[in-house]
């Protein structure tokens, strides 16, 4: 079935909760951005096992480079259904632009400040 984060996961330590809460757990992915494997903005990368279950219409999202943040993260993230997330990722992949990327980055920074990293 779909993969998800468990709220109040007992395996996560206090330090881990702090890192997640402040989004500092995303910093190692900057190495992937510098290496050219990821972008700052784009659909979040998915596990190959999950991509293998994608319907044909969703495969177009793979044309966009995965990113640290994206339209899903600034449009509701955990409040969205899997279908809504998929459609937002597809919308981004088909309509990406510098203006959209700048807007998403600004909205991400605002959300990190406002919600303490829960983007």
């Amino acid at each position: 079935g779909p993969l998800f984060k468990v709220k109040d996961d007992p395996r996560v330590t206090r330090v881990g909760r702090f890192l997640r809460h402040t989004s500092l757990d995303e910093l190692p992915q900057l190495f992937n951005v510098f290496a050219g494997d990821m972008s700052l903005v784009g659909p979040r990368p998915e596990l190959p096992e999950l991509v293998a279950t994608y319907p044909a219409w969703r495969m177009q999202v793979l044309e966009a480079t995965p990113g640290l943040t994206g339209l899903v993260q600034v449009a509701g993230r955990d409040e969205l259904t899997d279908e809504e997330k998929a459609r937002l990722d597809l919308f981004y992949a088909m309509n990406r632009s510098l203006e959209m990327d700048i807007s998403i980055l600004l909205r991400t920074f605002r959300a990190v400040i406002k919600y303490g990293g829960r983007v």
Side-chain angles (χ1 to χ4, degrees):
L3 304 174
F4 57 91
K5 285 185 182 178
V6 176
K7 186 176 178 139
D8 299 322
D9 189 336
R11 300 170 296 171
V12 178
T13 65
R14 277 190 289 191
V15 172
R17 264 189 293 283
F18 172 79
L19 292 174
R20 279 187 179 175
H21 181 73
T22 58
S23 290
L24 290 172
D25 62 330
E26 301 290 339
L27 285 179
Q29 291 189 37
L30 281 177
F31 292 112
N32 294 327
V33 172
F34 295 135
D37 297 329
M38 288 182 76
S39 176
L40 287 176
V41 180
R44 292 294 295 189
E46 292 286 1
L47 295 170
E49 304 85 53
L50 192 55
V51 172
T53 68
Y54 280 4
W57 66 266
R58 194 167 176 191
M59 296 303 275
Q60 291 181 42
V61 77
L62 301 175
E63 294 175 15
T65 304
L68 292 177
T69 189
L71 194 52
V72 169
Q73 284 69 39
V74 299
R77 194 177 177 177
D78 294 333
E79 294 82 33
L80 301 173
T81 66
D82 288 338
E83 178 83 12
E84 290 169 327
K85 291 177 186 179
R87 296 220 178 267
L88 285 171
D89 279 343
L90 185 59
F91 176 85
Y92 176 83
M94 296 177 69
N95 299 287
R96 59 187 182 256
S97 68
L98 180 59
E99 293 82 13
M100 188 185 309
D101 285 358
I102 290 170
S103 172
I104 290 170
L105 283 172
L106 291 174
R107 291 167 62 188
T108 298
F109 293 131
R110 197 172 337 152
V112 167
I113 291 167
K114 183 176 181 180
Y115 299 111
R118 291 171 286 145
V119 181

